[in-house]
Amino acid sequence: MASFAKDITQVKLPRPTRVKNETPAPLQITAEQLLREARERQESQILPPYQNITDPTELSDYRLRLRKEFEDRIRLPGPSTQVWLNYARWEESQKDYARARSVWERALQADYRNHAVWVKYAEFEMRNMFVNSARNVWDRAVTVLPRVDQLWYKYIHMEEMLGNISGAREVFERWMKWSPDQQGWLSFINFELRYQETARARDIYERFVLCHPKPSSYIQYAKFEVKGGEVARARDVYERAVKNLGDDEELFVAFAEFEERCKEVERARVIYKFGLDRVGRGEELYKKFVAFEKQHGDKERIDDVIVGRRRVEYEEQVRKSPLNYDAWFDYVRLEEEEASSVGDKERVREVYERAVGNVPPANEKRYWRRYIYLWINYALFEEIEAEDVDRARQVYRECLKLVPHASFSFAKIWLLAAQFEIRQLNLTAARKILGNGIGKATNKDKIFKKYIEIELELGEIDRCRRLYEKYLEWSPDNCYVWCKYAEFEISLEETERARGIFELAVSQTTLDLPEVLWKGYIDFEMSQGEVERTRALYERLLERTKHYKVWVSFAKFEAGEQDEDEEEDGIERKQECIRRTRAVFDRAYVYYKEVIPEMKEERSTLLEEWLNMEMSFGMLGDVSIVESKLPKKLKKRKAITGEDGSVEYVEYTDYLFPEELKASNLKILEAAIRWKKQKVDAFCNV
């Protein structure tokens, strides 16, 4: 039963017919042929029979029947406007104008907001020469629907066709009280001009620009005056437009072109410049100005136009983003280039003042990095370009007051301010600035270095020493400062002072670069020829670190004491140096072998250095001492497990030293003996 129901509900589609021949037919049928054939086969329309009315009774019956049909259609809910129009036209065709007028009035009662009904009603009156009735209909229409321009146009057109010019003017005046759009005002103006009423047209234009204070209105008014030859009036219209509207590109272009046509080139240039200053970024105005200067100006004026355009662009950029310091840099660079040729430095100062007035919102150094260079450039401009020393000094002071030194500081500002005072031969002020910088700045390194350099150039030794002491009080772990302080004393041939400084330095608990300090100390003692002191320093250094580089350096020091003299004393001294060198290497080898045997790579590197040293000794060297200790290099692989559980094999170099090789051989021999013993025991038990 279920299968039967399923068969009933299923829709069986016919099996698609397979097209056996897919080649196009020799005779193709177009869409046009199909439409033409459909038109030819269409059945003829059934028209009602034509009635020939012969007597008044039949005519009255016909009229009664049609009126009843129209009335029935009107009584239907929501009758369309077309029913009323057809009804009124039929009454008009029967020459029954009173009934037709009654139908129109009923239609207006049904839908008086439909302006098409008013238009058809008035055209009916006009068509049948009922002028006063038509005028009455138009008057009612514009009273009910004053915002429909078509009614006013039709009304005015009828009065003008009848020759009633004063009546048409009165209709226009009534319309203008409703403040229509621009086209309505222009129609009124054209109406007056058709009858040579120029004064009236001018008065209408005055009312027009008051009603529509737009650039296009003023431009049309000015063109009207130009057409009438009233250039002064046209200029007055443009000036009023600029005063009332001001910031419109189209208005300035039209005003400048008007002056250009009047051969007033300078006036046009002033208008263009004024427009660019007021409008800002106006593409069309700028293009017109460039074309104007190319036609009437010289190269300098064209350059002024380009500079003005770039100035407007930069103003727009800094207006949108006052904290865009790159835009301020470009703007200032433009003004400086312009000032170098024109000499207007006040404009540059104004831009700089506006730029530095945009202080970064947060006290974070990354926001101030670009901003601070505005102050630097400002001060350099005042000093170099403007040659105003007092203003440059004031700029530096204001900048140093503005920077939040408690959070961060800029050593560059302190140094530039001090160098400025030095250039003005005001050494006291420079020292005061650098001293304040050391006291307030968070990063004092650059200030200390420059301050010491300045005092050293001036030959103030005591001041340099005090500065180094202050520097070390602030940063006692800075090995660079210790080395520089010692080098300073060495340059003054104060050997004991330099040695004392090095001793103080190496006694510090924490140092940032101790290897640099120790190297400087050792090099100093070596330069002084203090061999025992140098050897003692190496021993002290080895107490702190056993790095293989220290051992190698110590051995090279011992090897460097041999002379090149071939005499007996020279040979003995060379042998003593070689003995000391081998002793150092041997100590290092024993240390790496017994204390840290896992550092195989460092021990191998140490032996390679020892071997190279023995080879450099020539005939006095003995490479066999080192060769017996050299390891074998083995390439091995080790498994590395990743975070995801995957295993990767990485190659590495392993070192097998001679003592390890002997131990491995002994282990193999012991294993063989144990295996032999197990075999013998097993045989005996059997």
Side-chain angles (χ1 to χ4, degrees):
M1 189 69 180
S3 63
F4 178 72
K6 183 178 180 181
D7 294 340
I8 293 175
T9 56
Q10 285 182 347
V11 179
K12 294 184 178 180
L13 298 175
R15 186 175 62 183
T17 304
R18 182 180 178 184
V19 180
K20 297 181 180 180
N21 187 5
E22 296 183 355
T23 58
L27 181 62
Q28 297 292 319
I29 301 176
T30 62
E32 182 182 358
Q33 291 174 344
L34 292 174
L35 294 175
R36 189 182 296 112
E37 186 177 354
R39 177 66 179 171
E40 291 174 355
R41 294 185 180 184
Q42 187 177 4
E43 296 180 358
S44 60
Q45 186 179 2
I46 300 175
L47 299 175
Y50 179 74
Q51 292 181 336
N52 189 9
I53 300 174
T54 57
D55 57 1
T57 304
E58 191 174 358
L59 178 61
S60 61
D61 293 340
Y62 165 73
R63 288 176 176 174
L64 181 63
R65 186 177 72 253
L66 284 184
R67 286 190 181 109
K68 185 176 181 302
E69 291 178 0
F70 278 120
E71 292 293 338
D72 291 341
R73 293 178 189 173
I74 291 171
R75 281 194 294 270
L76 292 175
S80 65
T81 306
Q82 190 61 35
V83 177
W84 290 105
L85 297 180
N86 293 337
Y87 192 6
R89 287 171 183 167
W90 182 81
E91 292 289 359
E92 182 184 1
S93 66
Q94 300 300 315
K95 306 299 182 181
D96 195 343
Y97 300 119
R99 285 183 176 273
R101 192 173 287 113
S102 175
V103 173
W104 286 114
E105 292 292 339
R106 290 169 61 193
L108 290 175
Q109 289 179 1
D111 187 9
Y112 71 91
R113 288 188 178 88
N114 192 343
H115 69 279
V117 178
W118 289 101
V119 172
K120 297 296 182 182
Y121 187 10
E123 288 178 350
F124 154 74
E125 299 288 2
M126 293 166 60
R127 193 164 48 248
N128 295 286
M129 300 301 176
F130 299 114
V131 177
N132 289 329
S133 297
R135 187 177 285 118
N136 184 29
V137 172
W138 287 123
D139 191 69
R140 290 166 56 197
V142 297
T143 303
V144 175
L145 301 174
R147 293 298 181 185
V148 180
D149 294 344
Q150 184 182 8
L151 299 177
W152 292 102
Y153 283 124
K154 292 280 187 179
Y155 191 6
I156 293 166
H157 180 68
M158 184 195 75
E159 296 291 355
E160 192 172 2
M161 291 297 101
L162 294 173
N164 187 10
I165 307 303
S166 59
R169 185 175 289 114
E170 290 178 1
V171 175
F172 265 122
E173 291 292 345
R174 288 175 57 190
W175 187 16
M176 295 305 109
K177 291 179 181 179
W178 289 97
S179 300
D181 58 4
Q182 294 188 18
Q183 190 57 43
W185 287 95
L186 295 177
S187 299
F188 192 9
I189 293 168
N190 293 332
F191 166 78
E192 296 292 355
L193 292 177
R194 281 198 297 272
Y195 299 101
Q196 309 300 322
E197 295 289 345
T198 307
R200 289 179 179 272
R202 184 176 290 111
D203 293 340
I204 297 168
Y205 263 121
E206 290 290 341
R207 294 158 58 191
F208 172 41
V209 296
L210 291 177
C211 181
H212 295 281
K214 299 179 181 179
S216 58
S217 305
Y218 281 99
I219 292 172
Q220 288 175 337
Y221 186 9
K223 288 181 178 179
F224 160 75
E225 296 292 359
V226 171
K227 190 175 180 180
E230 298 288 343
V231 177
R233 289 179 180 272
R235 183 175 290 115
D236 180 66
V237 171
Y238 277 121
E239 291 174 354
R240 286 162 52 194
V242 171
K243 181 180 179 181
N244 296 333
L245 303 179
D247 301 338
D248 188 86
E249 182 181 3
E250 180 186 4
L251 179 61
F252 285 111
V253 170
F255 193 5
E257 289 179 347
F258 159 74
E259 295 292 354
E260 188 177 358
R261 285 192 298 270
C262 296
K263 309 300 181 182
E264 296 287 347
V265 177
E266 290 301 324
R267 281 178 175 269
R269 181 175 289 111
V270 171
I271 293 168
Y272 274 124
K273 291 183 178 180
F274 181 72
L276 287 173
D277 292 339
R278 292 285 295 275
V279 174
R281 297 192 64 178
E283 296 291 337
E284 186 64 24
L285 182 61
Y286 178 70
K287 290 180 181 178
K288 293 286 186 181
F289 190 21
V290 172
F292 170 80
E293 290 294 350
K294 287 180 179 179
Q295 183 177 359
H296 300 285
D298 51 9
K299 183 178 181 300
E300 293 182 359
R301 293 186 181 277
I302 296 174
D303 293 340
D304 291 342
V305 173
I306 297 173
V307 170
R309 175 60 174 173
R310 290 175 60 191
R311 185 179 288 122
V312 169
E313 292 178 354
Y314 290 139
E315 285 287 348
E316 186 70 16
Q317 291 181 16
V318 299
R319 183 185 64 81
K320 291 182 178 178
S321 179
L323 299 179
N324 183 4
Y325 299 121
D326 290 331
W328 283 111
F329 280 122
D330 295 337
Y331 193 5
V332 167
R333 193 177 300 113
L334 171 68
E335 294 297 346
E336 287 181 351
E337 292 174 357
E338 187 68 13
S340 62
S341 59
V342 179
D344 188 6
K345 295 181 175 58
E346 290 299 326
R347 192 178 186 91
V348 182
R349 289 193 180 104
E350 179 187 355
V351 177
Y352 267 123
E353 290 293 338
R354 291 171 55 196
V356 298
N358 297 289
V359 182
N363 287 344
E364 295 183 19
K365 194 169 185 177
R366 58 194 179 98
Y367 296 119
W368 287 67
R369 292 186 187 277
R370 295 290 291 164
Y371 170 73
I372 208 68
Y373 277 94
L374 286 172
W375 285 99
I376 293 173
N377 292 347
Y378 189 10
L380 293 176
F381 167 77
E382 293 292 353
E383 180 185 0
I384 299 172
E385 299 295 335
E387 298 180 355
D388 193 336
V389 177
D390 294 334
R391 289 185 68 93
R393 183 178 290 110
Q394 186 64 28
V395 170
Y396 280 121
R397 288 177 181 173
E398 293 297 327
C399 178
L400 291 173
K401 288 180 183 178
L402 185 64
V403 176
H405 300 290
S407 302
F408 57 87
S409 185
F410 293 93
K412 193 176 188 65
I413 289 293
W414 295 102
L415 297 178
L416 288 174
Q419 290 170 351
F420 165 76
E421 295 294 349
I422 291 173
R423 287 193 294 272
Q424 309 308 318
L425 304 179
N426 192 352
L427 192 58
T428 304
R431 285 173 175 157
K432 184 178 180 181
I433 291 172
L434 291 173
N436 289 334
I438 291 173
K440 294 181 179 180
T442 55
N443 184 10
K444 310 177 192 296
D445 283 307
K446 293 182 180 179
I447 302 177
F448 269 118
K449 291 175 184 178
K450 193 64 180 179
Y451 198 178
I452 293 170
E453 180 184 344
I454 293 172
E455 295 295 352
L456 186 59
E457 290 177 355
L458 295 173
E460 297 288 343
I461 306 301
D462 294 334
R463 286 182 179 273
C464 292
R465 284 177 177 149
R466 285 198 296 271
L467 286 172
Y468 272 121
E469 291 170 2
K470 292 288 185 181
Y471 199 173
L472 291 171
E473 287 177 7
W474 175 70
S475 179
D477 59 344
N478 194 334
C479 293
Y480 170 83
V481 184
W482 288 105
C483 292
K484 287 294 181 182
Y485 192 9
E487 290 175 3
F488 167 72
E489 296 293 351
I490 293 170
S491 65
L492 299 175
E493 298 182 356
E494 293 285 349
T495 307
E496 293 303 323
R497 278 181 173 272
R499 185 173 289 115
I501 292 168
F502 275 123
E503 285 295 332
L504 284 174
V506 298
S507 63
Q508 299 297 317
T509 55
T510 57
L511 293 170
D512 55 357
L513 294 171
E515 63 275 8
V516 175
L517 182 62
W518 280 98
K519 185 179 183 303
Y521 194 4
I522 290 171
D523 292 342
F524 162 70
E525 294 293 357
M526 290 176 63
S527 65
Q528 299 298 320
E530 297 288 344
V531 178
E532 294 301 327
R533 287 180 180 274
T534 307
R535 188 173 291 117
L537 283 177
Y538 271 116
E539 294 294 342
R540 291 168 60 187
L541 180 57
L542 287 173
E543 292 175 1
R544 297 197 178 193
T545 178
K546 296 292 194 300
H547 197 275
Y548 81 94
K549 289 186 177 180
V550 178
W551 291 104
V552 172
S553 178
F554 191 9
K556 288 181 178 180
F557 160 73
E558 295 291 357
E561 290 300 313
Q562 57 180 322
D563 291 329
E564 297 295 332
D565 192 2
E566 295 295 335
E567 297 180 357
E568 184 176 356
D569 294 339
I571 296 296
E572 292 178 358
R573 183 167 184 179
K574 284 183 180 180
Q575 291 176 348
E576 179 65 21
C577 291
I578 292 171
R579 187 187 62 78
R580 288 180 179 276
T581 304
R582 287 172 181 164
V584 173
F585 274 121
D586 191 62
R587 287 170 58 193
Y589 178 74
V590 171
Y591 171 77
Y592 276 104
K593 179 181 176 181
E594 296 179 357
V595 180
I596 46 175
E598 67 276 4
M599 306 291 287
K600 294 183 178 182
E601 186 174 357
E602 285 74 3
R603 188 170 19 151
S604 175
T605 306
L606 181 70
L607 290 173
E608 290 177 0
E609 292 286 345
W610 191 359
L611 180 62
N612 294 332
M613 189 70 70
E614 291 290 347
M615 294 173 65
S616 66
F617 291 154
M619 298 296 293
L620 299 177
D622 188 1
V623 295
S624 60
I625 300 175
V626 186
E627 288 177 348
S628 61
K629 297 180 175 62
L630 290 174
K632 289 184 178 180
K633 293 183 180 180
L634 303 176
K635 290 288 185 179
K636 293 186 178 181
R637 298 175 67 191
K638 62 180 177 180
I640 297 177
T641 305
E643 296 180 357
D644 56 352
S646 61
V647 179
E648 295 182 359
Y649 290 91
V650 179
E651 286 190 357
Y652 70 99
T653 303
D654 194 11
Y655 299 90
L656 187 62
F657 288 89
E659 62 271 12
E660 295 176 348
L661 183 60
K662 291 179 181 180
S664 62
N665 292 337
L666 290 174
K667 289 179 182 178
I668 295 172
L669 183 59
E670 290 175 358
I673 292 171
R674 285 196 302 270
W675 177 81
K676 182 67 174 177
K677 185 177 181 182
Q678 290 175 0
K679 287 290 185 181
V680 172
D681 293 341
F683 180 76
C684 292
N685 292 332
V686 172

